[in-house]
Amino acid sequence: MRNILILASGSGSNAAALVEYVKTKMPGTRIAVGCNRTPEKAGVYAKMEKLKVDTHYLPSPGMDFSAMRNFLANSDVGFDLILLAGYMRILPDDIVEKHNIINIHPSILPFVYKGSENAYKDALDNGDLKTGCTVHRVTPDVDGGQILAQIGFEIPDKVLADYDLDTLKAIGLAHEHALYPLVMRNLLQNNRKDFSINMSTVQFIAGQLLKSRGLNIVMKNYQTIIPSTDKENPSVFKSWNAKVR
Ligand code: GRF
């Protein structure tokens, strides 16, 4: 039996993608969900209700994480993995150091928008031609932990032309929803430290999700994983994101 905790603060679409994946593909995994905001302010409660999963209210006013600490200490299970899914709080070091925590961030780390709360908007505002999402380990260095998997893609012309942030977010989220569950499965089932994600699978799933969400956008020119060893060499991102037009 595996136990996971998903922490979210907002709409909870990644949380829902993770829960749906667990329910269909990883039977025997127990899920708990926590949110630092009230149901009026966070869509994750409604999404979880539909999926028949309870959401625990774990407020963290200021730097007071006692609700979270109590929840972690009193839960009858130890969590094998904690997944941050749009959790908009920086967890204190003691919690981070004690648990196995991963996060999904809507940019190509470590090159751009580390720590940003709205990285797809940053990408549009800066006229980037490419963006993507990264799953990484959570360490005290915010968005700076080991990169586990990432996918990059070209921002379609349609989005650039219309300057449509909602469309870009929908595209980005489809990729997040395709990628994050696969990383979770790798970490939990195979207990692998190193693993590879088949990017064509991610692209295929993201494409299906886009279609099912009524977005007729054909994604092209995907980039495969940028090795985290390139951290010292931002020129890799610069050339990857070169404004070719
Ligand atoms: C996602 O873009 C995620 O990468 C970022 O916050 C957003 C959360 O969206 N960390 P949702 O609440 O999962 O819909």
Side-chain angles (χ1 to χ4, degrees), residues 178-212:
L179 182 65
Y180 209 8
L182 297 182
V183 178
M184 167 180 67
R185 189 192 62 197
N186 266 279
L187 288 175
L188 284 173
Q189 282 191 338
N190 308 333
N191 218 0
R192 287 194 228 152
K193 293 228 162 40
D194 302 309
F195 59 86
S196 60
I197 298 276
N198 185 332
M199 281 302 148
S200 343
T201 308
V202 177
Q203 288 160 26
F204 177 77
I205 300 171
Q208 299 284 93
L209 288 173
L210 283 171
K211 237 195 219 164
S212 72

Side-chain angles (χ1 to χ4, degrees), residues 27-48:
T29 304
R30 283 213 318 214
I31 310 164
V33 175
C35 180
N36 59 311
R37 293 197 174 122
T38 57
E40 298 73 48
K41 293 193 178 145
V44 64
Y45 290 87
K47 286 200 176 64
M48 290 305 115

Side-chain angles (χ1 to χ4, degrees), residues 161-175:
D162 298 352
Y163 207 77
D164 185 341
L165 178 59
D166 285 345
T167 311
L168 181 59
K169 273 191 181 163
I171 293 169
L173 284 172
H175 290 80

Side-chain angles (χ1 to χ4, degrees), residues 8-16 44 47 84-88 103-107 116-117 120 133-134 169 172-173 176-177:
S9 302
S11 83
S13 70
N14 274 287
V44 64
K47 286 200 176 64
L84 307 187
Y87 183 65
M88 305 308 277
N103 179 44
I104 188 156
H105 186 74
S107 81
S116 167
E117 293 194 355
Y120 291 132
C133 54
T134 304
K169 273 191 181 163
L173 284 172
E176 294 182 31
H177 300 164

